Amino acid sequence: MAVEPKMTVDKKKLVDLYTRTLKIRLFESKVWDLFGQNLIPGTLHLYLGQEAVAAGVTAALKKTDWIQSTHRGHGHVIAKGADMKRAMAELLGKRTGSCKGKGGSMHITQFDVGVLGATGVVASGLPIAVGAALSCKMRGTKDVVACFFGDGASNNGTFGESLNMSAIWKLPVIWVVENNLYAMGTPIAWTCPSENIAQRADGYCIPNKIVDGNNALEVYEATVEAVERARNGGGPTLIECKTYRMKGHSRFDPAKYRPKEEAEYWLSRDPVEIIRKIAIEAGALTEKEADKIRKKLEKEVEEAAKFAIESEYPAPEEALEDVFMEVDA
Amino acid sequence: MPVMTYREALRQGLREEMLRDERVFIMGEDVGKNWGGAFKVTKGLAEEFGDERVRDTPISENTIAGAAVGAAITGMRPVAEIMFGDLITLAMDQVCNQAAKMRYMFGGQTSVPLVIRTVFGGGKNIASHHSQSLEAWFMHTPGLKIAVPAFAYDVKGLIKTAIRDPNPVMFFEHKLVYDKKEEVPDEEYLIPFGEARVHREGDDVTVWGTFLMVHKAIAVADQLAKEGISVEVIDPRTLVPLDKKTLLESVKKTGRLVLVTEETKTGATTAEIAAIVQEEAFDWLDAPIVRVNAPDTPVPFSPTLEQFFIPDEKRIAKAVKSIL
Ligand SMILES: Cc1ncc(C[n+]2csc(CCOP(=O)(O)OP(=O)(O)O)c2C)c(N)n1
Ligand SMILES: [Mg+2]
């Protein structure tokens, strides 16, 4: 695995990549912990193991750029800059949550930091990303949209519809496939005839690239190139990030269907360790600085958890609010 | 006042809004200059506004609807056209799971100001995949507003209101009313949602209906008037929000209600209206509520079959007389 940082990546960016990757890791570890304490209702799709994807992509975006998330969205929104307190409170179903407790894990969204939405319907985010990118283009903002989706989602009809539309209209969108090799228990090899998903983009004349999704720097560099293309009117790019879930698909899935060797290989390639090593070897960080960053983030995550736990649940009647926006007379 | 067709009035409404607000744009299959929409509603608009703002799309209903959602939440005012109402089935996820639920599940962080236009109704012998009336499905989906204009005056005022509404609006049209003419003012006007139009006032029976059935109910009312039967005809114009007040006041006056739409009977909007009236005006009813709907079958092709399927004036008149 190449860990030589290119000259284009400055030291500050390496620290940024390390910080984003670690932040997601710590947030999700805390979520796992609170889940174990039965403080999180419903189910969860943890982002543990895939942190480098969200970190690498968002590090290449501006605040005004958009991301479209999925059912496995905690990492995306945290990386895009969401407030961790409101994110954590949402997971606990509290009224201080970013969605006032109406969305929860699968709809965790902070619109004001550029998250279009997290969605419970697999592959439903792609059309929305098309529209947001069309809007950026029509309004002449120069903003771009990064749309995350899974290997499983790439088998849905919206994949074809949306890639095609983005290509014919040369929309500023970056299609980010998080290929974690499984859709629930179904290996991608059972549902996709080609070894890689990326080549499907060739059919739509969309430039595409396969990267190590556990290496935030690789993801970042590919995204920078894609963003540049998008901003300059060059249209969409597809980036396939090969990665792996550290945990099962959802709540109680022990992921026994994954071959031992495969799991061992991937779990030995920890995204946090990989970017930490890169940053330290490049002289962007000392061990001490890296630990300092970790301490600071741990504290923020603790505070977020405390805030969430201490917040109130919504009053039952609040269920009736937010269906329609009031119309000005 | 100029007289124009429903189609022309609708086009005028769209045009006025596009002139007023540059965020408004149209997209759909064949809406642009080569065709002007399957029912010619958007004819001429691409020539005037360019093909960026009157945008032809691939045949990708779910992504047309989804792109409208994405554009709406980021500052545009899309008006998406789905060529035939039956084909909205291919866009149901974006309409019902995304557009309708987004504001709610994100706790009011965003709203989705889009309009989706499509067309329902039989009568053109184009069979089961191009003729159904599906408005009840959307009435059953919280978070969507629904307009069901049946007249030229209404369609213009309602499309303008729909485009300005900050919420998703399903804007349903009907194939057999595009050519119906009515006086439509030149000057700007908006029709608020949730206000029914009373086409005929009467004391004996209230007839509530939508689309082509309003036209038929009016003909029935005029014919029965000659027989000394006084029929009140109400067109809700929007289903969500629903003008209950006009309906309930009318029922309290007449004590009798006939509901007539072109939908298949089971689970139709007429069932919901009947339930509302029995909940809120039961004591005023002097007779059972009668529903006039299509039978519970797909829409058939052959003219004899289709004519049997679509409620006609005879059935409406018979229903009125059955409760006198
Ligand atoms: C349209 C749809 N079908 C099925 C499901 C149930 N489901 C939830 S996640 C999932 C697997 C998704 O796999 P992938 O896209 O690879 O994402 P991953 O979970 O691996 O991140 C399925 C089948 C769903 N939520 N939506
Ligand atoms: Mg997967």
Side-chain angles (χ1 to χ4, degrees), chain A residues 251-305:
Chain A
R251 192 167 180 145
F252 296 123
D253 170 28
K256 291 236 171 73
Y257 42 81
R258 301 196 297 195
K260 198 160 163 269
E261 269 169 43
E262 174 193 281
E264 273 172 10
Y265 167 72
W266 278 99
L267 297 179
S268 72
R269 304 184 60 257
D270 182 332
V272 174
E273 287 312 312
I274 289 173
I275 190 64
R276 183 182 151 108
K277 188 156 175 269
I278 292 172
I280 287 173
E281 282 176 6
L285 267 180
T286 61
E287 296 274 353
K288 225 174 129 189
E289 281 162 346
D291 291 342
K292 212 172 130 194
I293 290 172
R294 173 183 279 271
K295 287 236 161 58
K296 182 171 165 278
L297 291 172
E298 275 171 352
K299 191 162 162 261
E300 283 176 32
V301 168
E302 264 327 305
E303 280 165 9

Side-chain angles (χ1 to χ4, degrees), chain B residues 16-216:
Chain B
E16 285 178 16
E17 290 308 293
M18 291 184 78
L19 287 170
R20 183 189 64 84
D21 183 349
E22 61 177 21
R23 298 171 302 171
V24 178
F25 73 102
I26 292 171
M27 66 174 158
E29 295 156 17
D30 270 308
V31 296
K33 56 180 177 290
N34 282 7
W35 207 284
F39 292 88
K40 306 292 177 199
V41 170
T42 53
K43 196 166 167 23
L45 294 180
E47 287 84 342
E48 181 172 358
F49 295 100
D51 42 19
E52 292 279 305
R53 284 184 77 195
V54 183
R55 187 174 280 268
D56 282 314
T57 67
I59 304 165
S60 304
E61 284 76 12
N62 208 15
T63 295
I64 293 169
V69 172
I73 60 177
T74 54
M76 297 296 285
R77 293 275 175 158
V79 180
E81 177 177 314
I82 300 292
M83 197 183 276
F84 285 89
D86 311 67
L87 311 177
I88 196 83
T89 50
L90 287 106
M92 287 304 264
D93 174 51
Q94 291 298 329
V95 172
C96 298
N97 281 320
Q98 308 301 334
K101 296 178 183 172
M102 230 178 214
R103 178 173 179 77
Y104 187 84
M105 66 191 184
F106 299 158
Q109 289 183 79
T110 181
S111 70
V112 190
L114 62 75
V115 177
I116 294 185
R117 291 181 41 241
T118 195
V119 54
F120 290 145
K124 283 199 170 284
N125 307 120
I126 45 178
S128 298
H129 285 170
H130 293 80
S131 306
Q132 209 178 346
S133 298
L134 296 167
E135 52 271 32
W137 287 0
F138 301 93
M139 206 178 174
H140 194 61
T141 303
L144 299 175
K145 295 192 177 180
I146 304 176
V148 287
F151 284 80
Y153 173 81
D154 299 335
V155 80
K156 184 175 170 189
L158 288 171
I159 192 71
K160 289 166 67 77
T161 305
I163 289 171
R164 296 184 197 189
D165 198 293
N167 298 287
V169 178
M170 301 305 287
F171 199 88
F172 296 138
E173 298 153 23
H174 188 288
K175 293 176 197 78
L176 293 198
V177 304
Y178 282 129
D179 290 318
K180 299 239 181 247
K181 291 185 177 165
E182 191 177 27
E183 284 190 338
V184 176
D186 265 334
E187 60 273 18
E188 151 122 332
Y189 65 97
L190 297 168
I191 298 175
F193 279 16
E195 283 186 17
R197 178 170 172 187
V198 179
H199 284 275
R200 293 289 184 273
E201 292 191 11
D203 301 314
D204 297 332
V205 178
T206 302
V207 177
W208 180 102
T210 53
F211 293 129
L212 190 63
M213 295 303 127
V214 188
H215 296 264
K216 292 188 180 181

Side-chain angles (χ1 to χ4, degrees), chain A residues 139-152:
Chain A
R139 288 178 299 123
T141 64
K142 290 263 174 197
D143 293 333
V144 305
V145 181
C147 178
F148 296 97
F149 56 97
D151 46 290

